[in-house]
Amino acid sequence: RRKSRRKKPSLYWDKPPPGFEHITPIQYKAMQAAGQIPSNVTV
Amino acid sequence: CSRIHNKPTFSQTVLILNLYCNPQNSAKSADGSHSTVSDEEMQEHYDNFFEEVFVECEDRYGEIEEMNVCDNLGDHLVGNVYIKFKYEEDAEKAVVDLNNRWFGGRAINAELSPVTDFREACCR
């Protein structure tokens, strides 16, 4: 029963924040952790 | 969350932190007044979100048994998405890959979660 149900390009997946297209999400999170960019994620 | 949670080495369940942004919540926090997003719009937004996440994760990482989205206002839970895969290997693969992907202009934070039965799941 496995078939791809994707029918349109994603609104969310692989959309980087504006201005951060040149870095990877891992680098981005490292910068957040280092306080270089604001983090609005609460854990 | 300020409580101590044991993060398992192996689990079928993946926790993605703060993935879902409820448009009603954002509208409230933006101007401090009532929401301008109707319930219908919110439901549609949520349905689209759910479908996107579910389809993408199942296509890419493997069969999903259950998926839950937290929509309450608790800071540590809001927008959290729990995806229970059929196989532990798929969950592990998903965490590694998701942590290096963007989602809606944000970096994804994913980890394995000990929750396997969502009816029993609560912060103790």
Side-chain angles (χ1 to χ4, degrees):
Chain A
R1 206 181 59 83
R2 277 185 56 68
K3 58 179 168 26
S4 175
R5 281 164 290 172
R6 175 173 288 285
K7 47 191 183 302
K8 55 187 177 200
S10 175
L11 292 170
Y12 305 105
W13 288 104
D14 306 312
K15 298 272 192 253
F20 292 94
E21 293 87 354
H22 61 292
I23 63 165
T24 68
I26 289 175
Q27 289 172 315
Y28 183 82
K29 282 183 279 186
M31 285 166 76
Q32 281 183 329
Q36 290 168 290
I37 45 175
S39 165
N40 47 15
V41 175
T42 42
V43 180
Chain B
C1 184
S2 53
R3 304 200 189 195
I4 295 163
H5 292 264
N6 297 316
K7 290 181 187 165
T9 322
F10 300 105
S11 172
Q12 288 165 271
T13 310
V14 174
L15 160 61
I16 309 174
L17 296 152
N18 304 111
L19 191 68
Y20 177 63
C21 279
N22 184 327
Q24 281 187 332
N25 291 351
S26 345
K28 271 177 210 159
S29 52
D31 61 5
S33 65
H34 62 86
S35 166
T36 49
V37 184
S38 73
D39 287 348
E40 291 77 32
E41 282 170 342
M42 207 209 83
Q43 185 64 45
E44 199 190 323
H45 178 273
Y46 176 79
D47 289 346
N48 285 339
F49 168 87
F50 193 100
E51 189 187 326
E52 285 231 13
V53 174
F54 192 97
V55 172
E56 174 77 11
C57 288
E58 188 158 83
D59 274 359
R60 209 180 255 250
Y61 307 120
E63 209 171 318
I64 292 172
E65 280 197 348
E66 204 174 343
M67 174 169 145
N68 281 277
V69 178
C70 295
D71 187 27
N72 61 27
L73 291 170
D75 272 348
H76 64 294
L77 279 174
V78 68
N80 281 5
V81 175
Y82 293 83
I83 302 174
K84 185 181 174 192
F85 286 94
K86 192 166 179 188
Y87 303 105
E88 285 180 358
E89 305 90 88
D90 291 340
E92 205 181 334
K93 226 169 37 185
V95 168
V96 172
D97 192 62
L98 285 168
N99 270 320
N100 200 25
R101 291 187 71 185
W102 302 109
F103 190 88
R106 291 183 298 163
I108 293 175
N109 277 299
E111 59 186 51
L112 290 171
S113 162
V115 178
T116 48
D117 183 345
F118 292 99
R119 281 159 305 182
E120 290 291 311
C122 76
C123 201
R124 291 167 208 269

